[in-house]
């Protein structure tokens, strides 16, 4: 999105149907995705669920927006519904869930004397 916004806009199914191309908006959202992905990657490498949860907040809000949109406008067609579910909704919920699970496992591994009061 950030490196080739026009190409991303034209090649991502369903995106061009949402309105005219706005390079500033596409690049902004691409940067938010980079930061979010970087936090999730950092959390995964460090086994730190807090990074994963924080990095998953934007995708979760984005996914919830899609679900809300579906409840108002109706479900999209078959392919669009499958793509949005696989690439927008599922990763967001999986990210948040993984972050909480890892955070829980790490807090269980820390002796109670080292846990913040």
């Amino acid at each position: 999105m950030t490196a080739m916004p026009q190409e991303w806009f034209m090649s991502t199914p369903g995106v061009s149907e949402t309105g005219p191309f706005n390079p500033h908006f596409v690049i902004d959202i691409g940067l938010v995705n980079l930061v979010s992905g970087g936090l999730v990657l950092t959390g995964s490498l460090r086994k730190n669920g807090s990074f994963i949860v924080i990095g998953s907040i934007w995708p979760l809000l984005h996914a919830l927006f899609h679900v809300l949109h579906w409840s108002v406008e109706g479900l999209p067609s078959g392919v669009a519904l499958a793509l949005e579910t696989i690439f927008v909704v599922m990763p967001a919920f999986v990210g948040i869930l993984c972050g909480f699970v890892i955070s829980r496992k790490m807090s269980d591994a820390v002796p109670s004397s080292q846990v913040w009061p």
Side-chain angles (χ1 to χ4, degrees), residues 6 9-10 15-23 25-26:
Q6 178 79 39
F9 182 83
M10 297 308 294
V15 172
S16 62
E17 297 165 15
T18 64
F21 174 65
N22 179 334
F25 179 74
V26 172

Side-chain angles (χ1 to χ4, degrees), residues 100-111:
F100 281 122
V101 167
I102 291 170
S103 290
R104 179 71 181 172
K105 285 183 179 183
M106 295 309 292
S107 68
D108 289 345
V110 175

Side-chain angles (χ1 to χ4, degrees), residues 37-62:
L39 286 165
V40 170
L41 179 61
T42 299
S44 299
L45 295 173
R46 293 177 149 195
K47 295 180 177 51
N48 184 324
S50 297
F51 278 89
I52 297 171
V53 169
I54 293 167
S56 297
I57 291 172
W58 154 246
L60 181 64
L61 291 172
H62 182 216

Side-chain angles (χ1 to χ4, degrees), residues 31-103:
L31 292 171
V32 170
N33 284 328
L34 283 172
V35 170
S36 179
L39 286 165
V40 170
L41 179 61
T42 299
S44 299
L45 295 173
R46 293 177 149 195
K47 295 180 177 51
N48 184 324
S50 297
F51 278 89
I52 297 171
V53 169
I54 293 167
S56 297
I57 291 172
W58 154 246
L60 181 64
L61 291 172
H62 182 216
L64 291 173
F65 174 73
H66 277 253
V67 172
L68 177 64
H69 184 76
W70 297 344
S71 70
V72 173
E73 299 291 326
L75 293 174
S77 66
V79 172
L81 178 61
L83 291 173
E84 288 184 39
T85 301
I86 293 167
F87 294 110
V88 176
V89 177
M90 288 176 53
F93 286 99
V94 168
I96 287 287
L97 180 63
C98 288
F100 281 122
V101 167
I102 291 170
S103 290

